[in-house]
Amino acid sequence: MSAPFEERSGVVPCETPWGQWYQTLEEVFIEVRVPPGTRAQDVRCGLQSRHVALAVGGREILKGKLFDSTIADEGTWTLESEYAADPWVQDQMQRKLTLERFQKENPGFDFSGAEISGNYTKGGPDFSNLEK
């Protein structure tokens, strides 16, 4: 029996009352449900090396200390419609997740200079039905 891609790649979404979060080997993603009509100026996002805070429309959504330090200057946030997410961003995330999956499944190989092309959507081709 094969595990879903999310489990095989180490990316397991964690549901919360305000949305979900998940992480890859090097990044953390936080997705927050916001009311329809929310504008970027309604969002206050603060990321420091060991703290994170988020408020939408003056209402605090999350605030707390992080487990480990981050590079705050590398943090970004976007406000996207569920139906109009940036295709380029989705494409880049899928490529990165696929490379991470390959690295995790093949620890003896160096994928640092690898580029993904072809069928990488949703983690690349499904080989779960092949015998090992």
Side-chain angles (χ1 to χ4, degrees), residues 85-99 116-123:
D86 184 346
W88 183 85
V89 171
Q90 289 180 343
D91 178 70
Q92 295 303 308
M93 287 176 60
Q94 285 295 337
R95 289 172 188 254
K96 182 174 179 129
L97 288 171
T98 300
L99 279 173
I116 295 292
S117 64
N119 182 12
Y120 56 86
T121 302
K122 297 188 180 181

Side-chain angles (χ1 to χ4, degrees), residues 27-68:
E27 296 180 294
V28 174
F29 297 89
I30 300 172
E31 296 177 356
V32 177
R33 288 184 294 274
V34 297
T38 300
R39 300 170 301 156
Q41 50 264 51
D42 299 330
V43 178
R44 297 287 171 251
C45 181
L47 179 61
Q48 299 172 353
S49 67
R50 295 188 73 76
H51 292 86
V52 64
L54 178 70
V56 177
R59 194 178 111 232
E60 187 175 274
I61 304 295
L62 64 96
K63 182 177 182 178
K65 184 177 178 182
L66 299 171
F67 174 76
D68 203 353

Side-chain angles (χ1 to χ4, degrees), residues 9-34:
S9 68
V11 178
V12 180
C14 299
E15 293 293 327
T16 68
W18 41 260
Q20 70 176 354
W21 72 274
Y22 54 96
Q23 69 184 59
T24 65
L25 297 174
E26 295 186 9
E27 296 180 294
V28 174
F29 297 89
I30 300 172
E31 296 177 356
V32 177
R33 288 184 294 274
V34 297

